Amino acid sequence: MRKNSEYTADWSWHDANGYDRIVNVSGTMTALGGSITTERVATATAAAMPRFARIHEMQARASEVIARLTGSEAGFLTASASAGITLAVAGAITGMDPARAEALPAHSGPRNAVAVQMGHLCEYGASISQAIALAGAETRIVGQATLVKDYQLEAALDDSCAAALYVVSHHVVDYGMLPFDTFVRIAHAKGVPVIVDAASEYDLKGFLAKGADIVIYSGHKFLGGPTSGIVAGRKDLVRATYLQNIGIGRGMKIGKESIAGTIAAMEQWMERDHDAIRAAETHALEMWQAALTDLPGITPIRVPDPTDNPLERLQIWIDPAKAGASAAQFAEILGRSDPPLIVRGHKIEKDYFQLDPCNLMEGQAELVRDILVQVLSDASAAAEVDIRSALAAARNGGTQAYLNWLA
Ligand SMILES: *Cc1c(COP(=O)(O)O)cnc(C)c1O
C-alpha cells in the first residue's frame, strides 16, 4: 500500500484539473498512466527539472544502479520497454558502427533477423513484431503458436540471425514453448545473443544469471517509476544499444527528469519492505473475497500470477444465469461507478475478471470492496449493458480510444 499523503490529501492536482479519482485494480496499464509513484520518486523526478545535467553522466549513474539491481555488467534507460526492445534489436544488428546505426531502419544489412517463438509474438498494447520491425529487422517465427521444438530454433539461427528474442509475460502462450535454459543453450551454441523482454517481471536478476545477454524491463510497471524502459546486460551489447540514440532511438529518448525518477524507483525497490507490501496486498484480497463469497452467481478465487511474479489476484467468476449479468456487463458498470473502478478484464469473454492489488493507495481496499458489493449484488444496471458491445469494447477498446480521441 502506498503511503502518499500528497495524493490522498484533500487538495489534489487531479481534482483541481477535473480528472476522475480512478481506482485501478487492473494492474499496470499504459492507458491509466502505468503506475503511481511514491513521494520519493515524484520528488526526484521534479527535482531534476530546473537545472541542466549531462545526460551521459546521468545514464552512467543509472548504469551503476541497474548493475546493482539486475546483476548486469551495464545498463541504460530509455523511453519504455517497447523502445528497449527496438533498440536492443538494432544494437545486435549494428554493433558499434555508427554509420550502420544511422542507416536503420531502411538499410539493416544481411544479418538482420530476430528469431522468436510463435507463441511469444504477443500484443501488449502494440505488437512486439512491430517493435522488432522498427529496427529494420525481420521477425523469424520459430515453430507454431502451441509448440516449438529444439531443432526448429536451431534451424532458424543461421548466419542471417542477429539475435533471438525471448518473452516472459502473462501475454504469451504458457505451454509448448522452449524453456528459457534450452533457448539460451541453443542460441549460444550458434553464437546468437539472447534478448529477453521481461517488461512486467519482478525477477530482476534471474534471466541474466541464467545466461541472457540483454534483459529489458519497464520502469513504470511494478517498479513504480516515471515512464521509462530499463536495458540491462552484457556491456558490449548495452553500448551498441545505447549508440542507437544517434539514430532510431532519438524518438524514444528519455529526459533528465525520468532518469532521475527511475533511478530513485530502482533504489527504492532495493530497499522497500517487500514482505510488508505483499502482506498488505494479501489482506486486500482476503477482504474482497470474504465480502463477495455469499453473492449469488459470484465465485471469487485467489490465483497466482501466470509468470513467477510473487503476486496474487482475485479472480471473480460470474455465472450470468445466477448473478443476473455477465462479467463484461458488470465490468462496464464498475468502470462507470463514482469513482470509476477499473478491473482486469483481458479474458472477460470467459466470464471472469480479476482484481490486482498492486496499485492500491491507502484506504482504497475498503473502497474497492464497497463498490464491488454494491455493483455485484444488484444486476439491474449491468443487465442493461449491450453484451456484444461490452465484449467488443474489451477486445477493441484500446484501439477505439485512439480512434475516438478528439473526434
Ligand atoms: C508492458 C509490456 C511491454 C511494453 O512496455 P512499455 O514499457 O509500456 O513499453 C513489452 N512487453 C511486455 C511483455 C509487456 O508486458
Side-chain angles (χ1 to χ4, degrees), residues 1 25 277-293 300-305 310-316 354-358 360 365-366 368-369 372:
M1 229 89 350
V25 283
I277 288 170
R278 184 87 199 269
E281 291 173 354
T282 302
H283 175 72
L285 294 177
E286 284 168 352
M287 181 200 298
W288 301 335
Q289 188 171 29
L292 300 178
T293 293
I301 54 164
R302 276 166 62 182
V303 295
D305 185 82
L311 175 71
E312 284 185 321
R313 302 190 177 92
L314 193 66
Q315 187 155 307
I316 316 276
Q354 293 179 337
L355 309 175
D356 183 321
C358 81
L360 288 175
E366 292 77 11
V368 169
R369 176 197 59 201
L372 283 169

Side-chain angles (χ1 to χ4, degrees), residues 61 100 112:
R61 197 76 59 81
R100 293 197 65 197
N112 72 345

Side-chain angles (χ1 to χ4, degrees), residues 53-110:
R54 292 187 177 85
I55 289 290
H56 299 305
E57 194 179 328
M58 292 186 78
Q59 288 277 22
R61 197 76 59 81
S63 180
E64 289 167 14
V65 180
I66 292 168
R68 274 195 284 131
L69 183 73
T70 67
S72 68
E73 289 176 10
F76 74 96
L77 301 172
T78 183
S80 64
S82 198
I85 296 166
T86 302
L87 298 181
V89 166
I93 290 173
T94 69
M96 290 301 290
D97 184 339
R100 293 197 65 197
E102 288 176 355
L104 296 183
H107 304 289
S108 52

Side-chain angles (χ1 to χ4, degrees), residues 28-30 34 79-85 120 122-126 128 167-172 197-201 216-221 227-230:
T28 48
M29 298 295 160
T30 288
S80 64
S82 198
I85 296 166
H120 281 190
C122 62
E123 141 106 27
Y124 44 72
I128 198 159
V167 183
V168 187
S169 170
H170 66 275
H171 291 299
V172 305
D197 172 7
S200 199
E201 297 309 295
I216 293 141
Y217 297 97
S218 276
H220 52 262
K221 289 188 175 171
T227 304
S228 57
I230 300 168

